[in-house]
Amino acid sequence: MGTKKNDPQNWRAATRLVRGGTERSHFDETSEALFMTSGYVYSSPEEAEQAFKGNKDRFVYSRYANPTIAMFEKRLALLEGAQYCNATASGMAAVFAALACMLKAGDRIVASRALFGSCHYIITELLPSYGIEGVLVDGTDLDQWGEALSQPANAVFIETPSNPTLEIIDIQAVSDLAHEAGARVVVDNVFATPVLQSPLKLGADIVTYSSTKHIDGQGRAMGGAILSNDEEFANEKLKPFLRNTGPSASPFNAWLQLKGLETLDLRVSKMSSNALYVAQFLEGLNGIQRVIYPGLASHPQFKLAARQMKSGSTLIAFEVPGGRDGAFRFLNGVDIIDISNNLGDSKSLITHPATTTHQRLGEEERARMGISDGLIRLSVGLEDPDDLRKTWKGQYSPFNEWGKDHFQ
Ligand SMILES: *Cc1c(COP(=O)(O)O)cnc(C)c1O
């Protein structure tokens, strides 16, 4: 742990991603060490007593903190420009902890309707069962936010771009309305990643990640994180909640994702440019009913996306004719791309939200969220985009089987 010549705060993002948070052990290893340990030893009972009194800054138990997890948290915090970061076992553990640690019976949370299925469950079923009122609004409609936040609220939860319809929410405008109503703003930033969007700089208070997605980026390990610059939230609410309820990250998973951060910028930048290429190609195909990609000028919130994101993201949604059957034929016809509900992977993955991730919601709520039976979500990976394009044009193309009438 030699003294640093450089303060990481002065480093640019790429340097932070490779070197931020590194703490070498006395073995002077190059690559960050994996501390696969649940406990720590003390030289004397006196030392243990002092550690438990909080008088000695050291590791005591990996439910509280662990050196490998701490490196991951520091590196991610540096990237996000956040003072506080806590890693969790999964993205859902992060979302739930961020909300549960600050809400109590009688409180009110306002959220955008277009949500990841499990976030929807927490806000519309779980929190209400604890006596917390959950209100859903159309996230793209500032009038609806204004009306819902004309009454006091304690939390606002948004996902932008949303899953799977890629709606964009104005983080700054919603944060201003939320703060007037007395609410803290939590942004689920999974689709944008910390590389493309910085919610804390746009007025949000708390950011959550599923690091299972782009941060791991190679489909290996579950993980999540909660970041903020809000000392009261981080130290008085979140810290005791995490310590005592235990949704801790695994050191092994944190180590994989610490190393994942080193290539995050490269991967997300390339995956985004591949996604733009594929989205432009899909938009030019006859028969595709609608292509939704925040980096296309045809996206209803293209200008807002360009203002708050560095690119259109790595995800595309599009609609094919023929409802569920049409979508299934399409998925059965793709080559290279794997059918999987995961996303943010270096492998391109395709899924049918209405029968998988958003099946539980029921037809009516799906319709309200714009998830039609013909909607398909594509997470674009690191393959050569021309090979992905051939998926649609080559000999295995779904168009050959059924789409000659519909497609070019
Ligand atoms: C995947 C995902 C989550 C949940 O993350 P897990 O790591 O699967 O628990 C939450 N929000 C969004 C937007 C996601 O895509």
Side-chain angles (χ1 to χ4, degrees), residues 190-204:
V190 172
F191 272 40
T193 82
V195 170
L196 301 182
Q197 177 171 274
S198 304
L200 298 179
K201 296 193 182 90
L202 296 166

Side-chain angles (χ1 to χ4, degrees), residues 19 92-93 111 140 162 174 179 190 192-193 218 255 298 310 316 320 324 338 343 350 373 381 383 396-397 399:
R19 297 191 169 268
M92 284 325 302
T140 63
S162 70
V174 171
H179 293 152
V190 172
T193 82
Q218 289 157 84
W255 177 77
S298 59
K310 289 201 185 106
I316 305 169
V320 295
R324 173 189 175 279
D338 294 308
L343 61 94
I350 197 161
D373 285 348
E383 301 94 340
Y396 0 76
S397 163
F399 312 112

Side-chain angles (χ1 to χ4, degrees), residues 4-294:
K4 294 235 160 61
K5 279 181 226 111
N6 271 315
D7 180 354
Q9 296 294 341
N10 298 329
W11 294 343
R12 292 182 176 84
T15 311
R16 291 179 177 201
L17 282 173
V18 177
R19 297 191 169 268
T22 301
E23 290 282 355
R24 293 207 162 100
S25 79
H26 66 286
F27 292 117
D28 294 326
E29 63 282 352
T30 310
S31 173
E32 294 75 2
L34 168 52
F35 290 94
M36 207 66 205
T37 183
S38 40
Y40 304 85
V41 298
Y42 309 92
S43 58
S44 66
E46 288 80 6
E47 192 190 354
E49 182 186 33
Q50 288 308 312
F52 272 77
K53 274 188 176 165
N55 294 339
K56 195 169 182 350
D57 189 19
R58 54 157 291 161
F59 294 101
V60 294
Y61 191 49
S62 287
R63 169 147 47 79
Y64 301 171
N66 166 286
T68 303
I69 298 172
M71 287 191 268
F72 171 67
E73 291 169 337
K74 274 188 206 150
R75 187 168 291 177
L76 185 55
L78 273 169
L79 174 63
E80 193 73 44
Q83 221 175 322
Y84 306 99
C85 176
N86 289 93
T88 55
S90 69
M92 284 325 302
V95 169
F96 180 63
L99 297 175
C101 78
M102 66 172 166
L103 293 171
K104 59 182 187 316
D107 280 356
R108 196 166 166 267
I109 175 168
V110 182
S112 49
R113 172 166 285 115
L115 293 175
F116 184 70
S118 297
C119 300
H120 192 272
Y121 165 79
I122 288 177
I123 286 156
T124 62
E125 292 185 45
L126 186 62
L127 294 179
S129 78
Y130 298 159
I132 296 156
E133 187 194 354
V135 180
L136 295 184
V137 299
D138 174 349
T140 63
D141 183 346
L142 284 177
D143 291 339
Q144 287 195 28
W145 282 110
E147 194 180 320
L149 293 169
S150 62
Q151 297 173 49
N154 308 84
V156 157
F157 182 80
I158 58 180
E159 195 183 302
T160 179
S162 70
N163 179 18
T165 50
L166 306 175
E167 284 180 3
I168 308 292
I169 297 172
D170 188 332
I171 298 172
Q172 184 73 63
V174 171
S175 298
D176 290 347
L177 289 167
H179 293 152
E180 271 173 48
R184 283 188 170 94
V185 178
V186 182
V187 177
D188 180 338
N189 205 34
V190 172
F191 272 40
T193 82
V195 170
L196 301 182
Q197 177 171 274
S198 304
L200 298 179
K201 296 193 182 90
L202 296 166
D205 303 286
I206 296 145
V207 176
T208 61
Y209 288 106
S210 163
S211 49
T212 316
K213 312 293 168 57
H214 304 80
I215 292 175
D216 180 72
Q218 289 157 84
R220 302 165 297 192
M222 304 295 297
I226 307 160
L227 297 109
S228 80
N229 284 316
D230 181 334
E231 197 203 338
E232 199 229 356
F233 167 82
N235 285 335
E236 284 168 39
K237 302 199 182 290
L238 185 61
K239 192 170 162 186
F241 182 92
L242 293 176
R243 283 184 166 223
N244 294 303
T245 64
S248 335
S250 144
F252 182 69
N253 290 7
W255 177 77
L256 284 172
Q257 297 179 356
L258 171 71
K259 304 305 282 177
L261 282 173
E262 293 183 2
T263 54
L264 181 69
D265 194 351
L266 290 175
R267 286 183 287 106
V268 169
S269 301
K270 182 73 172 113
M271 284 155 72
S272 302
S273 67
N274 286 355
L276 177 62
Y277 182 85
V278 172
Q280 282 167 339
F281 168 73
L282 285 172
E283 200 168 46
L285 277 181
N286 293 325
I288 298 268
Q289 288 171 322
R290 188 163 65 119
V291 178
I292 312 169
Y293 181 68

